[in-house]
Amino acid sequence: MAAMNCFGVPTNEVSLLQLANEHFGTNLTLAEEMLFQTVANGKMLSYTGDSGKDDDPSNFRNWRIERVIRADRITWLCTDAAASAHVPFTGIGLSRFRIDGSLELQSATIRFPLIFNKCAFADSIQLGQSHLFDLNLDGTYIKDL
């Protein structure tokens, strides 16, 4: 049976996770799969496994692999037309994750908020000539902006 939208009209839309699997192949971590699912549901993804000193973003080099998301996944969400169409007005929200690789958003126009709460960017954030709706880096460690 075909999926129906809120008006009872059949739709052939695929989920954000399906799009990610098609784009990145089977190369997604559990944290990245959770990112795509929570973003599509309008929620913030928070890591809750560690606490105390281990949770300090300046200590990101010691964080476990379960709390790492590769930056190109976020870049894709922000710059790919099909992917960004699945990001609701609540945007992309991460809390207590390490982002590996350079977040390359130069010249991008992003229509939703980017919220990084107590995260750590192991590499640079590239924003030259970009237009952002909102960027919240509360308590976040940034190597280079």
Side-chain angles (χ1 to χ4, degrees), residues 41-55:
N41 289 319
K43 305 289 184 193
M44 175 179 268
L45 180 60
S46 291
Y47 182 82
T48 57
D50 297 328
S51 63
K53 184 181 177 204
D54 289 338
D55 211 26

Side-chain angles (χ1 to χ4, degrees), residues 96-117:
R96 297 179 175 90
F97 279 89
R98 182 176 87 208
I99 293 84
D100 280 355
S102 180
L103 183 60
E104 298 179 8
L105 298 175
Q106 60 272 18
S107 300
T109 298
I110 302 169
R111 61 171 180 76
F112 44 78
L114 301 175
I115 303 164
F116 301 100
N117 180 25

Side-chain angles (χ1 to χ4, degrees), residues 1-14:
M1 179 174 203
M4 305 287 232
N5 66 15
C6 63
F7 301 106
V9 177
T11 178
N12 292 323
E13 283 191 43
V14 295

Side-chain angles (χ1 to χ4, degrees), residues 13-17 19-20 35-44 73-94 105 109-116 133-134:
E13 283 191 43
V14 295
S15 74
L16 184 55
L17 181 56
L19 285 175
L35 168 67
F36 297 125
Q37 291 172 334
T38 56
V39 164
N41 289 319
K43 305 289 184 193
M44 175 179 268
R73 279 45 176 165
I74 300 167
T75 298
W76 175 76
L77 277 171
C78 294
T79 60
D80 183 88
S84 64
H86 286 272
V87 179
F89 70 92
T90 51
I92 298 170
L94 288 172
L105 298 175
T109 298
I110 302 169
R111 61 171 180 76
F112 44 78
L114 301 175
I115 303 164
F116 301 100
F133 177 81
D134 184 31

